[in-house]
Amino acid sequence: MDLNRLNFDSSFLITLMAATTFNGSVATIKTHGYIGNSALHRDFGNSSLQLSTKGFKIDLGLLGKNHYWSRKRGSCLIQASFSQATTVSDEVSTPDSIKVEPIKKSKAALILIRHGESLWNEKNLFTGCVDVPLTRKGVEEAIEAGKRISNIPVDMIFTSALIRAQMTAMLAMTQHRRKKVPTFLHNESEQAESWSQIFSQETEKHCIPVVTAWQLNERMYGELQGLNKQETADKYGKEQVHEWRRSYDIPPPNGESLEMCAERAVAYFKEHIEPQLQAGKNVMIAAHGNSLRSIIMYLDKLTSQEVISLELSTGIPMLYIVKEEKYIRRGSPAAPSEASVYAYTKNLARYRQKLDEMVH
């Protein structure tokens, strides 16, 4: 189908849908010139053209004397510079000076860490959403977790709103070889956001944003919180306490079941964390046994029966590679003192090599 000749000026934004060689393509033009027979003819001035179709994309931005356009087809990105007037036709011709770059598919690392031992873990008390810090052992576990992930890139950190998860994330990052600084984002109010703003772009490059979310908290144990686990078993019976702790859909008195915890944790993961991963960001989540079990249930497509038997050790990181919207579990990275392979993908291998070069 031929396009009728259109005259327009820079104050108009014209969107054209064509069914010529660019079958099903869309053209967006803002310029001073005209379109005729599916080709763009223009005079000097500011203008831009974007054509997109299945497997093919053209972006044309024409600014003054130095003009820029790019073409994407398959796995290549072609960029070039023009001067004078420019014509784009059904059969796109490329200039003599061409820069070809491969288009990278999004691939990312996802690290899950259950917090180190807390003071109430040590005392064998039901903790739930009570906010208690780590023990000395918990601190050591967090540092050891950091050594295990020290060669894996981290672009963003998510933690629960509880201090034991936040301590674990911060202590782990002290061991990272890139030495970027984790900085907590404060979006609870306009004033908090304004006061915590970083005004140096150079400094910001060396920071890792940290997001806290109550949705990643441990499940709320209701009236069991603060009770001794053994004394509670003696009072209510081992079977009843086991049912409260390990069943999927039976909550303790005035508390949450694993199912209820999963609803909030997985919903948050899908809405806030998954988009970061799909964009190629490497993410670490420091959270709790039940919120992480919930997320793993989603990642590994576990049934409600399979997830209740899933055990996560404190301070042991779990690595996933995210590729083409699939989550590939890689297990726990080995500590530096152990003989193992850190780089599970070529990208991670290149990242580790870059770190080695920086250190040496």
Side-chain angles (χ1 to χ4, degrees):
M1 181 180 88
D2 292 333
L3 296 175
N4 295 326
R5 176 170 171 150
L6 298 172
N7 290 290
F8 52 95
D9 106 359
S10 58
S11 63
F12 289 90
L13 179 63
I14 299 180
T15 302
L16 304 174
M17 294 187 178
T20 56
T21 304
F22 295 95
N23 187 25
S25 64
V26 177
T28 304
I29 303 96
K30 187 176 183 180
T31 185
H32 179 77
Y34 65 89
I35 288 184
N37 297 325
S38 67
L40 170 68
H41 304 271
R42 61 170 300 282
D43 299 322
F44 295 102
N46 292 341
S47 63
S48 63
L49 168 66
Q50 184 181 78
L51 295 176
S52 60
T53 183
K54 279 190 175 180
F56 197 95
K57 181 176 180 181
I58 297 176
D59 294 311
L60 181 59
L62 305 170
L63 302 172
K65 294 183 178 180
N66 295 319
H67 309 314
Y68 166 86
W69 69 279
S70 67
R71 184 184 77 178
K72 294 180 182 178
R73 183 201 296 269
S75 61
C76 286
L77 171 64
I78 300 177
Q79 299 177 330
S81 296
F82 288 83
S83 60
Q84 307 292 325
T86 304
T87 298
V88 179
S89 62
D90 291 344
E91 293 183 5
V92 179
S93 59
T94 59
D96 296 332
S97 177
I98 296 176
K99 179 182 178 182
V100 179
E101 297 176 356
I103 295 176
K104 297 179 181 179
K105 295 182 178 179
S106 62
K107 185 185 294 185
L110 171 62
I111 303 166
L112 307 179
I113 305 179
R114 182 187 176 191
H115 65 81
E117 182 189 65
S118 74
L119 287 168
W120 278 16
N121 290 146
E122 183 183 46
K123 294 178 180 296
N124 200 31
L125 304 179
F126 285 103
T127 310
C129 288
V130 179
D131 206 0
V132 297
L134 300 178
T135 61
R136 181 180 294 274
K137 178 184 177 183
V139 170
E140 293 171 352
E141 288 176 334
I143 292 172
E144 179 64 19
K147 292 177 180 178
R148 289 175 177 263
I149 63 168
S150 62
N151 294 296
I152 301 173
V154 176
D155 301 312
M156 200 165 185
I157 299 171
F158 290 85
T159 79
S160 76
L162 302 175
I163 191 66
R164 56 190 185 274
Q166 296 175 17
M167 287 178 69
T168 299
M170 298 304 98
L171 288 166
M173 290 308 298
T174 64
Q175 304 301 305
H176 203 275
R177 293 178 64 187
R178 194 64 187 270
K179 300 302 181 186
K180 286 190 173 184
V181 179
T183 54
F184 283 83
L185 301 183
H186 290 281
N187 300 323
E188 57 268 24
S189 69
E190 289 186 9
Q191 185 179 40
E193 186 174 1
S194 175
W195 285 17
S196 61
Q197 187 176 351
I198 299 171
F199 290 93
S200 167
Q201 291 184 353
E202 184 62 28
T203 299
E204 198 166 20
K205 289 178 184 178
H206 299 283
C207 295
I208 300 175
V210 182
V211 179
T212 61
W214 71 265
Q215 293 91 334
L216 299 176
N217 283 6
E218 179 59 285
R219 75 175 171 122
M220 205 271 283
Y221 270 100
E223 295 176 12
L224 300 185
Q225 291 184 170
L227 300 183
N228 182 277
K229 294 177 182 177
Q230 183 58 53
E231 292 175 359
T232 306
D234 294 339
K235 180 178 179 179
Y236 294 100
K238 290 182 179 180
E239 290 184 4
Q240 179 62 74
V241 173
H242 181 78
E243 187 177 62
W244 285 334
R245 295 186 65 193
R246 294 305 178 195
S247 66
Y248 182 69
D249 55 1
I250 300 175
N254 294 316
E256 282 186 309
S257 64
L258 177 56
E259 182 180 31
M260 295 162 69
C261 177
E263 285 178 2
R264 59 172 165 84
V266 174
Y268 183 86
F269 180 88
K270 288 180 178 180
E271 183 177 354
H272 298 280
I273 301 176
E274 205 161 40
Q276 301 294 336
L277 294 166
Q278 297 303 333
K281 297 281 188 180
N282 302 295
V283 174
M284 181 175 81
I285 304 175
H288 308 266
N290 285 294
S291 54
L292 290 176
R293 287 165 72 200
S294 301
I295 292 171
I296 291 172
M297 180 183 181
Y298 168 70
L299 300 178
D300 291 349
K301 297 179 171 59
L302 302 180
T303 66
S304 58
Q305 290 301 310
E306 289 172 328
V307 74
I308 60 176
S309 62
L310 178 64
E311 293 289 345
L312 298 177
S313 299
T314 55
I316 302 296
M318 178 69 69
L319 175 66
Y320 285 81
I321 299 300
V322 185
K323 183 179 180 182
E324 297 177 351
E325 300 184 1
K326 294 181 179 178
Y327 295 94
I328 305 166
R329 181 146 47 114
R330 295 294 192 181
S332 179
S337 59
E338 301 174 35
S340 185
V341 179
Y342 291 97
Y344 296 101
T345 68
K346 291 181 179 179
N347 284 344
L348 291 180
R350 286 193 291 269
Y351 182 84
R352 188 188 180 194
Q353 183 178 0
K354 184 179 179 180
L355 289 178
D356 287 337
E357 292 170 355
M358 291 173 60
V359 172
H360 301 296

